[in-house]
Amino acid sequence: MVFRVEVGLRGDLKDPHGKIIQRRVKSDFNIESVADVRVFKVYLIDVQKADLAQVKRFVAEVLTDPVTEVAHLNEDLTDAFAFDWLAEVGFLPGVTDNEGRTALWAFKTLFPGVVGEHDAVYAGRKYLLNGSLGQKEVERITTGLLCNKLIQRHRVIGRAAWEKGDRMGDRIPAVTEQARPEVRLVPLEIEDEALDKISKERVLALSREEMKAVQAYYRRPRTKAMRKELGFPELPTDCELEVLGQTWSEHCKHKIFSAEIFYTDAVTNVAMKIDSLFKSYIKKTTYDLLPTMPWVKSVFDDNAGVIEIDDGLLLAMKVEPPHSPSALDPYGGALTGIVGVNRDIMGCGLGAKPIFNTDVFCFASPFYRGDLPGPNLLHPARIFRGVHQGVKDGGNESGIPVVNGSIFFDNRFIGKPLVFCGTGGLMPAEVRGKPSWQKKPEPGDLIVMTGGRVGKDGIHGATFSSEELHPGSPVTAVQIGDPIVQKRMTDFILEARDKGLYTAITDNGAGGLSSSIGEMATGTGGARINLEKVPLKYEGLQPWEIFVSEAQERMTLSVPARHMTELQRIAAIHEVEMTAIGEFTTSGQLEIYHGKTPVALLDMEFLHDGLPKMKLEAVWARPECNQWDLPQYDDLNAIMIDMIGRLNIASKEEWVRQYDHEVQGRSAGKPFVGAFNDGPADAAVVRLTPFRKTACVVSHGLKPTFSDIDAYWMTASVIDEAVRNAVAVGGDPDFLAGLDNFCWPDPVHHEEKNPGGKEKLAALVRSNMALYDICTQYRIPLISGKDSMKNDYGSGKEKISVPPTLLFTLLSRMADVEKMVSMDFKNAGDIVYLVGTTAEEMGASEYFSYHGIKTCGLAPKVRPAEFLAAYRKLHIAMKEGIVASAHDLSDGGLATAVAESAFAGALGVKLDITKVPRKGVIERDDIVLFSESNGRILVSVSPAHRARFEAIMADAPCAAVGEVNGSGFMKVSGTGGRVLISLPSEELWRHWKAPLEKLK
Amino acid sequence: MAKANVLILSGYGINCEVETGWAFEMAGADKVVTSHVNRVVSGETPLKDYSVLVFPGGFSFGDHIASGRVLGIKIKQELGPQLADFVRSGRLIIGICNGFQVLVKIGLLPGDDETVFGEQKATLAHNDSARYEDRWVTLKVNAKNKSPFLRGITTLPCAVRHGEGKFLAFDHELARIKAHNMIAFQYVDKAGNLTQEYPQNPNGSEQAIAGITNKRGNILGLMPHPEVFISKTQHPHWTRLPELDDEGPGLKIFRNAVDFVKNEL
């Protein structure tokens, strides 16, 4: 029998979670009539052999807090509380239920030997709402705030129905599907249109040309002979097509970056043919620089890039974009994203230990008031909160601090939010005398899957993220991770690594086993797998589903047979499941069986190299436009207050403070600095250990809206932004390594479906050109990157596309952490300098967006030689310890930076903008204040160090523009001594803090 | 004189074991061993060989059901008698954050006057803000508490990083805690006064309690994280505080533990 348990806070205690729900009902739905909300925890205990006495003890000792909570079996508890409506939410069958799983584990610990193979505990929540509400309103609140119908079930009961005996009951969400494993054959000797249909229906996301390449493969005499010899059917199997779909997906194969592109620049009349953007720009950048950079250890081949950050210590880093799932299930998508990229680091080389995360989000405004453009879209506020919570739980529960990130708002992200999750990890340069960044399975090594079990969750994640979202998107693409299962696996793997028990490791991310085994098997030239051995969450999975499922927290190891016993022993201590499911071979074939049934046979060479190259066209025809009109202002006080509260400038503290940013004890430069610990730091400074002075600097640049002017200068700008952020905290401008993450709207032209494709592809080409031009001059090797190419919602004219977005993440180094500089002004009397020149570069600036000017205005340029020379000088001054504060100028320009440095230092400042070094003539003072020209850093220096500082900075564009004072006011004067701004720092601070606090 | 051998528990989502180990290393411990709970249960790491036992911070079992609860069940079921012997012998236990939550939920803290394991009489409930936060607060040490962990410390800036840190106890229990001077740390405002104001009191704890000891003083539990203030660069605005010593003041707690074991156990 199923026992139903409800647990709630004692009636005399306030329910803090209920309060939050009450507040959000008001802010999100404009419903004021909810007087009170209480939240109960619900557990459905389905343990066949359990008796009532055991369940009662379990409820008392495990489920209930004796000080604060009351619990009841069945639904009696509800009677003791007042309510007008009840809403209950639980998971749908098969969805990962972490709390339920923990409860079952506790039951097992308390009563050893009672719990059987099919037993489970299911966790849910019950909400008691008080207030005069209608059924429809309660339904709206439930589906809009309390649950996500994609992964959860819900039920609403009103007081009247309750009185009549209506109860939630004890129906459990068990998976009952009992399909027998079956391998289906898929004939491909059919008409071309029918090939398209197969690709679409099976969510293979393969083009007709690719389907024809597959068709041709099965016609080869060699293929036929091999299939016959090994007992495989002549016709393709479902699993083979799935493996090809996954391996050849845009997500895994980066087809657009490998394509042959015909590029025309109609503005300058240049035409050229590019054979692979990846080879021609990204790889070329790194390979041009590598000969002089022995500290770059591993690029492009592994899960992450690896550099030697200090003697004997390697730093691996990767940034991933898990956007598509985040749009459907923001919480699960983001959680999966963060724990997924953690695995990339654990699976890099022989395995690195994650030491920090980074998070960058692009959302539509959470205060968006219009209609949502699609039926399965969620409101941006909901996406914001859900993503935030997923990243928060993923990072906090794993014990990995979030050290750097940002949130960017533009309403074009309404169809597809962008959620970038990055992770950096450390590993010793050598593991048992071998280079840790290299790995290779040996023929005969066992293929071992470890971590979680396989379910239907996450089927087609790789192919799905290679398609635009549409109303019928499969729900199985959603996964929920369990950070604790993964943490256990991490502990296990790091111990096994140090004992040298495996020869290679990789994570099961997109494409699941298909991807991890497919990749590792290239090391020996083949693999043989028995899917029957794979541990499943529940019965009823088809062999192909087992192979491509992206169920979370799994890694694949290659293990020499002689180490299996010891590996099993360690796994048992950590309570981590591990199973040998096959072996690596030299056969040249990927051979998959389910028991004795042949499931898939694919030639390794065809699988990895058989993909036909795409041929694409790119046309650039958008000249710069510098015609615009701005009102004249007498003073800028009101403007300044509006600007400092714009979403892209306002404080994100309300949200970021909920991430643990200092677990592991390495953080020296935290996200918030200054007198009140709330000034926005430019970059993170992470010490490698407290016993070393060396620190790693982590920064990034992001400004999607610059692409509205030109993706070339967008790219150049974000690279420079990342560099100057790093330099501002004390990072060495001569030790830089970059990670490029492209998130583009579909750049493949199609007359009806994607008429703007050629220009989007041209933007991609230009972005790559800038990446090469700027990075080679800044000497930034690109150590890792990822692209995501279908960030659109809908199709044709209805299509909503994200602006072409490049996130540039940067690693730098600080030899002595004590030379770190923070952005807050330190002392009254310090001189304020502006390093860099200001130009009338207002295109897509916050100031122009504020005035509704979208595509006109010049893009900020980057002059690497000039900028780098200034950064190097500033770095010398920092190493001498004579820089009191330094702050990067970006969104909102000089005005924002000065205000932030002032209120973060609890000080005032006087600024004379006529002293600002300029490039070209700038007629308007407001332009000087709000221009977003690159290459600029605001610095303050004690008068005692004035002479030395100016001597170091000689020949660089740098001028004293003001003075820090104790007035508590930000005073700015302009042309002719006119006072432009005179505001208390504290008032600016309030307007800067408020906007995103409203969302909580 | 005993050896300062420190055993730090790990596994099941505990995640502050490394930095807590660093703190004990810096504090001069003779030996610091980090071991999975199951290794202690199996005897592979014998508890009797150690003089300090550490329940570090983290997210054991993801805080599912209630923070510290499920790891607590495991510890009580499988290590109960050994742990009781350890406590009775006067050796030291420190529980930080999730470790404090475990100690409270298994009744080692506040602890009983008569037996080692009491019933659970206090709890760490959800913060009044209903959310997890990472922020720095100031702690005041209860001068009347004679626990060896607290010697020579009066105030301590420290990070709190939790969602369930609101200390609550039944009235009579709270009275007993006060009567026996078992309060160790309390949240104070800028003026140094005990406070119930958010965010200086980050969770709404009764009596602004941030940490307590048992009556004997050999068990300390606290929500804040002194192990991440062992060097000055860990303070959020250390660049404004030229007067800070290189060694962070949080280290004192670990030094006290090591010194006590070496000199007085």
Side-chain angles (χ1 to χ4, degrees):
Chain A
M1 90 178 258
V2 175
F3 295 92
R4 181 188 170 90
V5 180
E6 295 188 355
V7 184
L9 277 176
R10 266 173 21 214
D12 58 320
L13 295 175
K14 280 188 194 143
D15 186 330
H17 292 101
K19 279 271 162 257
I20 289 194
I21 292 165
Q22 196 187 341
R23 188 166 67 217
R24 289 185 180 170
V25 168
K26 203 173 145 188
S27 67
D28 294 11
F29 302 97
N30 244 338
I31 299 175
E32 308 248 355
S33 52
V34 175
D36 183 48
V37 181
R38 294 193 81 85
V39 188
F40 286 1
K41 295 187 270 190
V42 178
Y43 301 93
L44 298 172
I45 301 168
D46 182 21
V47 177
Q48 291 304 311
K49 278 167 41 191
D51 60 36
L52 185 62
Q54 286 170 333
V55 172
K56 280 189 166 164
R57 199 182 141 205
F58 177 67
V59 172
E61 289 187 31
V62 178
L63 299 184
T64 321
D65 189 292
V67 181
T68 56
E69 289 175 333
V70 282
H72 280 265
L73 275 168
N74 303 320
E75 294 177 65
D76 309 339
L77 181 60
T78 310
D79 273 334
F81 289 83
F83 66 90
D84 294 313
W85 291 94
L86 299 174
E88 185 159 311
V89 174
F91 287 113
L92 288 171
V95 177
T96 307
D97 175 358
N98 294 329
E99 191 181 354
R101 196 147 62 175
T102 298
L104 185 71
W105 190 93
F107 199 99
K108 238 187 255 183
T109 306
L110 207 53
F111 306 108
V114 174
V115 172
E117 172 79 9
H118 296 288
D119 290 343
V121 177
Y122 302 90
R125 291 288 179 272
K126 182 167 172 179
Y127 302 88
L128 282 68
L129 295 98
N130 276 292
S132 53
L133 297 157
Q135 173 101 23
K136 269 200 177 143
E137 278 175 309
V138 179
E139 280 286 342
R140 244 179 86 212
I141 293 169
T142 308
T143 54
L145 189 66
L146 306 177
C147 82
N148 180 347
K149 286 205 287 190
L150 213 52
I151 53 168
Q152 287 165 317
R153 54 182 193 162
H154 72 281
R155 207 175 150 220
V156 167
I157 298 180
R159 182 88 222 180
W162 172 267
E163 302 282 346
K164 284 185 200 139
D166 196 2
R167 295 293 181 271
M168 295 294 174
D170 57 7
R171 198 171 53 92
I172 54 167
V175 177
T176 49
E177 195 171 316
Q178 285 292 348
R180 285 162 53 85
E182 194 182 348
V183 177
R184 286 171 194 252
L185 303 181
V186 187
L188 289 185
E189 292 303 334
I190 48 178
E191 296 295 319
D192 289 358
E193 287 76 16
L195 286 176
D196 297 348
K197 207 172 147 217
I198 288 178
S199 173
K200 183 112 196 139
E201 279 172 359
R202 303 195 74 96
V203 203
L204 299 176
L206 293 176
S207 70
R208 183 181 294 182
E209 204 190 351
E210 289 157 356
M211 287 299 287
K212 296 205 69 131
V214 174
Q215 185 186 53
Y217 166 76
Y218 285 94
R219 287 179 187 160
R220 289 183 198 171
R222 207 180 102 80
T223 306
K224 288 187 174 168
M226 184 63 86
R227 295 181 79 80
K228 197 166 179 192
E229 187 191 321
L230 292 171
F232 279 75
E234 196 177 318
L235 290 175
T237 67
D238 49 5
C239 187
E240 285 160 0
L241 292 182
E242 292 288 342
V243 172
L244 284 163
Q246 174 271 313
T247 312
W248 288 7
S249 66
E250 178 56 47
H251 186 89
C252 296
K253 220 39 181 192
H254 313 288
K255 293 185 269 204
I256 292 166
F257 263 85
S258 310
E260 197 171 273
I261 296 175
F262 300 89
Y263 169 75
T264 315
D265 182 340
V267 181
T268 55
N269 258 328
V270 174
M272 62 196 282
K273 193 174 97 178
I274 300 157
D275 181 17
S276 166
L277 288 169
F278 182 56
K279 266 198 287 185
S280 311
Y281 297 102
I282 297 176
K283 267 192 162 171
K284 187 164 160 52
T285 302
T286 306
Y287 288 140
D288 281 4
L289 295 169
L290 272 192
T292 58
M293 294 181 172
W295 47 272
V296 177
K297 293 295 179 195
S298 172
V299 286
F300 307 132
D301 331 319
D302 207 339
N303 289 356
V306 183
I307 59 172
E308 185 164 15
I309 188 82
D310 201 14
D311 288 343
L313 263 188
L314 306 187
L315 182 70
M317 189 165 181
K318 166 79 169 275
V319 179
E320 273 278 354
H323 320 126
S324 297
S326 301
L328 300 175
D329 172 20
Y331 177 78
L335 176 63
T336 303
I338 193 86
V339 296
V341 71
N342 292 163
R343 280 198 309 278
D344 271 315
I345 295 306
M346 286 157 54
C348 172
L350 286 170
K353 179 190 158 113
I355 63 160
F356 64 78
N357 289 328
T358 61
D359 296 300
V360 173
F361 311 147
C362 301
F363 298 137
S365 166
F367 306 107
Y368 180 83
R369 288 273 170 223
D371 292 331
L372 295 176
N376 57 352
L377 288 180
L378 301 173
H379 189 274
R382 195 149 182 221
I383 291 180
F384 182 122
R385 291 193 197 114
V387 166
H388 170 263
Q389 181 151 10
V391 164
K392 178 179 89 167
D393 286 355
N396 292 357
E397 292 184 19
S398 308
I400 303 167
V402 173
V403 299
N404 184 249
S406 63
I407 310 175
F408 188 86
F409 297 98
D410 184 287
N411 281 348
R412 281 170 287 176
F413 294 109
I414 199 156
K416 259 209 176 178
L418 303 186
V419 179
F420 300 91
C421 296
T423 300
L426 280 182
M427 58 183 168
E430 281 188 0
V431 172
R432 297 173 80 85
K434 287 187 194 149
S436 62
W437 68 92
Q438 292 168 351
K439 61 185 166 194
K440 197 168 174 274
E442 296 291 328
D445 280 358
L446 297 172
I447 301 172
V448 171
M449 185 184 103
T450 181
R453 295 185 154 216
V454 172
K456 290 201 179 195
D457 36 348
I459 284 173
H460 283 151
T463 45
F464 162 63
S465 62
S466 306
E467 279 198 328
E468 74 273 16
L469 279 179
H470 52 82
S473 296
V475 299
T476 49
V478 176
Q479 317 132 52
I480 295 184
D482 183 345
I484 299 305
V485 167
Q486 181 151 314
K487 178 70 170 85
R488 297 208 303 239
M489 180 174 69
T490 310
D491 294 351
F492 158 58
I493 282 170
L494 290 174
E495 188 176 339
R497 176 196 74 183
D498 291 341
K499 293 196 162 129
L501 299 180
Y502 55 80
T503 53
I505 178 169
T506 199
D507 83 300
N508 286 291
L513 288 171
S514 168
S515 167
S516 67
I517 296 176
E519 262 171 54
M520 284 171 93
T522 56
T524 59
R528 192 180 307 113
I529 299 130
N530 181 0
L531 295 175
E532 205 178 38
K533 300 223 161 133
V534 175
L536 303 179
K537 290 183 180 177
Y538 36 78
E539 302 300 311
L541 267 74
Q542 294 304 331
W544 72 265
E545 291 178 314
I546 299 171
F547 203 55
V548 301
S549 162
E550 294 174 13
Q552 287 293 296
E553 50 275 336
R554 294 180 296 140
M555 306 280 291
T556 301
L557 307 172
S558 80
V559 182
R562 64 182 187 282
H563 292 323
M564 279 300 282
T565 316
E566 177 64 2
L567 195 67
Q568 282 284 12
R569 191 185 72 82
I570 297 172
I573 288 169
H574 292 274
E575 291 185 38
V576 174
E577 209 166 8
M578 58 161 272
T579 319
I581 59 169
E583 61 183 4
F584 289 106
T585 68
T586 53
S587 68
Q589 304 289 318
L590 184 63
E591 291 169 67
I592 306 167
Y593 302 86
H594 188 276
K596 292 209 166 84
T597 314
V599 174
L601 180 72
L602 284 165
D603 184 85
M604 292 285 296
E605 210 181 300
F606 174 71
L607 181 59
H608 291 284
D609 303 319
L611 176 68
K613 212 175 237 188
M614 286 171 97
K615 287 189 169 65
L616 301 172
E617 203 180 332
V619 179
W620 180 251
R622 200 141 52 85
E624 268 190 311
C625 138
N626 198 22
Q627 288 173 327
W628 43 266
D629 194 29
L630 282 177
Q632 292 290 342
Y633 296 108
D634 289 336
D635 73 59
L636 296 170
N637 282 334
I639 302 285
M640 183 66 205
I641 282 176
D642 285 354
M643 284 293 291
I644 203 81
R646 283 180 65 76
L647 290 182
N648 285 335
I649 294 173
S651 170
K652 316 292 184 288
E653 183 184 354
E654 172 67 30
W655 301 89
V656 176
R657 195 145 296 289
Q658 297 178 49
Y659 305 139
D660 193 326
H661 49 256
E662 49 195 330
V663 60
Q664 299 195 29
R666 292 183 171 88
S667 87
K670 301 189 202 297
F672 302 110
V673 295
F676 309 111
N677 303 336
D678 66 359
D682 290 325
V685 179
V686 182
R687 277 180 92 159
L688 302 178
T689 80
F691 306 101
R692 293 183 191 226
K693 291 270 188 200
T694 319
C696 148
V697 176
V698 189
S699 63
H700 73 274
L702 176 89
K703 182 86 175 181
T705 43
F706 278 166
S707 292
D708 293 341
I709 313 294
D710 184 348
Y712 184 95
W713 292 114
M714 179 277 287
T715 302
S717 296
V718 301
I719 298 167
D720 181 62
E721 186 187 6
V723 173
R724 62 183 193 263
N725 272 322
V727 169
V729 300
D732 183 352
D734 287 302
F735 187 103
L736 304 172
L739 293 91
D740 53 281
N741 280 81
F742 291 88
C743 279
W744 236 249
D746 190 353
V748 179
H749 180 78
H750 187 283
E751 283 305 327
E752 295 102 53
K753 281 199 222 152
N754 192 22
K758 286 181 192 173
E759 185 181 301
K760 289 165 185 164
L761 187 62
L764 185 66
V765 171
R766 296 179 67 77
S767 175
N768 274 273
M769 289 172 165
L771 195 65
Y772 177 81
D773 293 349
I774 307 295
C775 287
T776 47
Q777 292 183 75
Y778 272 142
R779 302 185 49 74
I780 307 174
L782 300 168
I783 59 165
S784 172
K786 201 80 193 249
D787 60 277
S788 155
M789 284 292 148
K790 309 266 166 166
N791 295 293
D792 312 271
Y793 182 86
S795 86
K797 284 204 180 108
E798 307 293 304
K799 193 191 276 280
I800 304 170
S801 298
V802 305
T805 301
L806 174 72
L807 168 66
F808 196 76
T809 308
L810 191 75
L811 295 170
S812 176
R813 186 171 65 173
M814 201 180 286
D816 179 1
V817 67
E818 296 197 15
K819 296 296 190 291
M820 185 191 119
V821 176
S822 61
M823 50 69 68
D824 45 313
F825 288 148
K826 301 296 187 301
N827 294 300
D830 285 358
I831 303 153
V832 178
Y833 290 90
L834 183 59
V835 177
T837 51
T838 301
E840 193 180 279
E841 293 169 324
M842 299 302 289
S845 63
E846 277 299 312
Y847 195 61
F848 268 25
S849 316
Y850 172 71
H851 285 97
I853 305 170
K854 288 200 172 118
T855 51
C856 274
L858 303 181
K861 306 297 184 292
V862 176
R863 296 175 295 280
E866 177 193 320
F867 292 4
L868 188 57
Y871 297 158
R872 282 180 174 144
K873 286 173 200 237
L874 183 60
H875 186 63
I876 290 169
M878 286 179 168
K879 282 206 289 194
E880 291 190 12
I882 60 171
V883 176
S885 77
H887 192 18
D888 141 75
L889 270 65
S890 52
D891 302 276
L894 178 61
T896 302
V898 171
E900 287 175 345
S901 291
F903 56 63
L907 286 161
V909 61
K910 209 174 85 187
L911 197 72
D912 177 358
I913 61 165
T914 61
K915 305 264 174 62
V916 168
R918 296 153 195 240
K919 190 169 179 66
V921 178
I922 308 176
E923 281 171 8
R924 295 176 58 119
D925 287 341
D926 54 350
I927 300 278
V928 178
L929 268 176
F930 295 109
S931 159
E932 295 182 12
S933 287
N934 290 305
R936 298 180 303 159
I937 297 175
L938 185 79
V939 170
S940 69
V941 174
S942 155
H945 301 304
R946 171 172 209 151
R948 178 63 192 144
F949 180 75
E950 290 182 0
I952 294 171
M953 295 307 293
D955 305 329
C958 172
V961 294
E963 193 183 288
V964 180
N965 58 42
S967 69
F969 265 73
M970 172 172 168
K971 274 200 175 151
V972 180
S973 61
T975 316
R978 194 162 64 106
V979 176
L980 302 170
I981 297 172
S982 178
L983 289 166
S985 306
E986 199 265 334
E987 189 181 342
L988 287 164
W989 175 81
R990 264 190 294 114
H991 287 281
W992 174 75
K993 289 276 277 191
L996 285 165
E997 275 180 5
K998 276 191 287 194
L999 255 192
K1000 73 181 178 193
Chain B
M1 236 182 88
K3 283 258 184 209
N5 291 344
V6 179
L7 174 58
I8 299 177
L9 296 178
S10 69
Y12 296 119
I14 289 171
N15 63 36
C16 299
E17 67 272 27
V18 174
E19 59 268 39
T20 311
W22 287 339
F24 275 105
E25 276 174 40
M26 271 193 193
D30 294 296
K31 187 164 98 175
V32 179
V33 169
T34 300
S35 190
H36 195 285
V37 174
N38 280 334
R39 287 193 155 104
V40 184
V41 170
S42 73
E44 191 181 328
T45 313
L47 185 56
K48 62 175 174 45
D49 292 355
Y50 296 84
S51 41
V52 181
L53 176 64
V54 185
F55 291 81
F59 261 92
S60 59
F61 295 94
D63 278 3
H64 302 144
I65 302 172
S67 59
R69 164 92 52 210
V70 179
L71 182 57
I73 294 287
K74 164 103 184 165
I75 300 273
K76 214 171 167 177
Q77 287 284 114
E78 298 176 8
L79 276 176
Q82 281 193 64
L83 199 54
D85 287 344
F86 190 92
V87 176
R88 266 187 229 107
S89 70
R91 284 175 280 182
L92 303 182
I93 295 182
I94 179 170
I96 301 170
C97 195
N98 194 228
F100 181 28
Q101 291 162 338
V102 172
L103 294 178
V104 166
K105 303 228 163 134
I106 60 179
L108 275 183
L109 283 176
D112 211 296
D113 289 349
E114 307 304 323
T115 56
V116 172
F117 280 103
E119 296 286 303
Q120 184 190 334
K121 292 181 194 129
T123 198
L124 291 152
H126 283 278
N127 297 352
D128 280 349
S129 64
R131 62 186 179 195
Y132 179 103
E133 281 184 351
D134 176 346
R135 64 167 71 248
W136 279 60
V137 294
T138 307
L139 305 176
K140 185 180 166 189
V141 171
N142 174 17
K144 290 188 191 150
N145 187 320
K146 297 302 171 202
S147 166
F149 283 107
L150 306 175
R151 289 175 189 168
I153 310 172
T154 50
T155 60
L156 183 65
C158 220
V160 286
R161 312 192 312 243
H162 60 250
E164 296 174 42
K166 179 178 179 171
F167 187 87
L168 287 176
F170 294 122
D171 289 344
H172 53 89
E173 185 63 14
L174 204 57
R176 191 180 70 92
I177 291 170
K178 284 172 82 174
H180 296 304
N181 297 317
M182 289 152 69
I183 293 175
F185 295 101
Q186 284 160 299
Y187 303 108
V188 292
D189 60 20
K190 275 203 181 123
N193 300 316
L194 303 189
T195 184
Q196 292 303 121
E197 293 296 308
Y198 173 87
Q200 288 92 346
N201 178 335
N203 45 41
S205 278
E206 275 181 11
Q207 308 277 337
I209 290 174
I212 58 170
T213 64
N214 60 347
K215 193 175 158 193
R216 185 172 176 178
N218 64 329
I219 307 178
L220 169 67
L222 72 168
M223 286 313 298
H225 288 266
E227 80 281 10
V228 288
F229 197 15
I230 57 173
S231 75
K232 74 170 177 195
T233 60
Q234 289 170 319
H235 191 281
H237 60 255
W238 65 272
T239 53
R240 301 180 72 81
L241 306 169
E243 68 276 13
L244 278 182
D245 288 334
D246 281 355
E247 179 183 308
L251 190 59
K252 188 81 173 112
I253 293 175
F254 304 94
R255 260 194 217 293
N256 280 341
V258 168
D259 291 349
F260 172 81
V261 170
K262 282 184 178 170
N263 302 322
E264 296 175 50
L265 197 67

